[in-house]
Amino acid sequence: MAETTAPATCDVAWFSALCDDDYEFLGVPDSRLQSSFEHCRDIVLSAESGGYDTILLPSGYALGIDTIAFAGAIAPLTRRIRLLTAIRCGELWPPQAARQLATLDRLAGGRLAINIISSDLPGETLESGPRYRRATEVMSILRALLNGQSIDHAGEFYRLALDPPRVSTVSGKAPPFFFGGLSEDARDAAAEGADVYLMWPDTMDGVASVINDMRARAAARGRTLRFGYRAHVVVRETEAAARAAADRLLSKLDADTGATIRQRSLDHASVGVRQQAQLREAAAGDGYVEDNLWTGIGRARSGCGAAIVGDPDQVLAKLRAYQALGIEAFILSGYPHMAEGDLFARHVLPHLPHAPLALGN
């Protein structure tokens, strides 16, 4: 593989499919790959042995297995990899969540990071504005309690006056908060309370525009943000082989099944999901919206809907181009997750300077 001048270090994460999102052929359920403790455990252990810095443990209400319970079980089985654990704001009571998360960080030896999701309470629907304002309150409360501070909070959703839980994180500080969302409400919430703003796939110009906007929003609040990028990846020894592997993923998908999968997602109407659909619509007939960015994944899933596809040099160049825009953390995945994670770990990761993203509190 050709070497170029090394860019700044980045955090490289893989994805453990806790939400029934693992396939050999997209849209075709496979009992071997359905979420279970054993299957998701094996993905995490493979990612750790492959050298990844972080593992995303996603969360969904309707599908898969519980994230906090899984994180507590996997923490003692790992030694190095950071656990980016998703929590859904609509499903938690912040003081109890602070105690859970502090305990989880202890179990992991200080290796916890938190992916904040601005979710509804299952069975209820809250408009975007108040839902994201609630998420902002949750982040503020959690940060204070996990920093060991007493709070006297009188907000729109929570009125709390209490001391922090006795159990603290290993560092005594709140773990880093990762947060994503493209709506105006989501962007404001991230600028107000997050440490790392996560983006789904977009064109280079789109990524640059969002970063510039988010930097300005954070600066207006006297804050700074770091930036992460969530994408799928298909890497093979040649570009032709990578494109063939991508096409194979969709070879058994019919349009009606794909539409059903997208519609049943709890976030199918969000601004971010609509943006992924627009990205597909802007793509050429082969699904590529720009060099090595393939939107076909989004035909069979909601949320993150595009993949970096190419040979090792092309995938590496694409990641470095994102880094040049300001991306410092990548959360990658591929299908099946363990097999594609191994390919990326062998062909690309050794050539990408990486380490867990260092964040202050």
Side-chain angles (χ1 to χ4, degrees):
M1 161 175 269
E3 294 291 346
T4 59
T5 302
T9 297
C10 59
D11 186 312
V12 183
W14 198 249
F15 177 96
S16 184
L18 272 67
C19 301
D20 289 339
D21 180 37
D22 203 0
Y23 301 93
E24 181 176 359
F25 298 97
L26 291 176
V28 180
D30 188 332
S31 60
R32 299 170 305 148
L33 301 175
Q34 192 171 26
S35 295
S36 66
F37 173 74
E38 293 79 10
H39 179 56
C40 296
R41 173 201 63 199
D42 290 347
I43 294 173
V44 174
L45 296 180
S46 178
E48 181 166 68
S49 65
Y52 291 94
D53 303 301
T54 301
I55 187 81
L56 173 60
L57 307 179
S59 177
Y61 169 71
L63 299 172
I65 59 178
D66 182 74
T67 307
I68 294 292
F70 177 83
I74 200 67
L77 302 182
T78 55
R79 294 292 177 265
R80 182 192 53 77
I81 199 165
R82 181 157 61 181
L83 307 179
L84 177 52
T85 302
I87 61 172
R88 302 174 64 83
C89 290
E91 301 172 16
L92 58 83
W93 180 249
Q96 174 62 13
R99 185 173 67 167
Q100 276 187 315
L101 294 169
T103 303
L104 184 55
D105 185 73
R106 288 277 170 180
L107 291 172
R111 293 179 286 118
L112 182 69
I114 305 170
N115 179 198
I116 303 282
I117 301 173
S118 175
S119 71
D120 284 315
L121 182 68
E124 298 182 3
T125 300
L126 197 61
E127 293 296 321
S128 173
R131 181 163 51 81
Y132 280 105
R133 291 196 300 274
R134 179 175 63 188
T136 303
E137 283 193 44
V138 169
M139 286 189 281
S140 176
I141 293 166
L142 287 179
R143 191 181 298 278
L145 293 175
L146 290 169
N147 279 338
Q149 300 167 357
S150 299
I151 61 171
D152 189 355
H153 178 90
E156 181 179 355
F157 297 93
Y158 302 99
R159 301 184 67 85
L160 302 168
L162 74 168
D163 293 329
R166 180 191 61 78
V167 62
S168 66
T169 62
V170 170
S171 69
K173 298 292 185 179
F177 293 170
F178 289 63
F179 190 93
L182 273 181
S183 70
E184 291 296 308
D185 297 320
R187 294 184 193 213
D188 285 341
E192 184 73 28
D195 298 300
V196 180
Y197 178 74
L198 281 177
M199 282 173 276
W200 281 342
D202 202 346
T203 62
M204 288 291 173
D205 287 344
V207 172
S209 175
V210 173
I211 288 176
N212 289 337
D213 176 68
M214 292 305 302
R215 280 176 172 158
R217 290 179 194 244
R221 295 163 169 81
R223 305 186 70 242
T224 59
L225 285 171
R226 313 286 283 277
F227 294 94
Y229 191 76
R230 167 88 181 94
H232 307 282
V233 65
V234 181
V235 60
R236 297 295 185 273
E237 291 188 1
T238 67
E239 181 180 16
R243 283 177 169 249
D247 291 340
R248 182 178 183 272
L249 285 173
L250 293 180
S251 63
K252 297 187 179 182
L253 179 74
D254 64 76
D256 290 342
T257 299
T260 298
I261 291 170
R262 295 193 300 273
Q263 284 297 315
R264 75 186 181 199
S265 172
L266 294 179
D267 65 355
H268 71 271
S270 74
V271 172
V273 170
R274 291 202 302 271
Q275 184 270 342
Q276 294 293 282
Q278 291 165 3
L279 201 66
R280 289 196 303 279
E281 293 164 3
D286 59 4
Y288 288 83
V289 71
E290 65 180 16
D291 288 348
N292 304 110
L293 187 63
W294 178 64
T295 64
I297 293 279
R299 290 173 54 193
R301 78 187 305 276
S302 186
C304 174
I308 302 166
V309 178
D311 66 33
D313 283 318
Q314 291 171 321
V315 172
L316 181 63
K318 194 76 170 176
L319 295 174
R320 285 179 165 162
Y322 291 129
Q323 284 184 272
L325 296 178
I327 299 295
E328 296 181 79
F330 294 101
I331 300 175
L332 305 174
S333 58
Y335 297 99
H337 288 295
M338 195 151 62
E340 195 67 46
D342 178 65
L343 287 166
F344 184 91
R346 289 190 285 115
H347 290 299
V348 181
L349 195 56
H351 305 276
L352 187 64
H354 64 98
L357 190 62
L359 293 159
N361 293 280

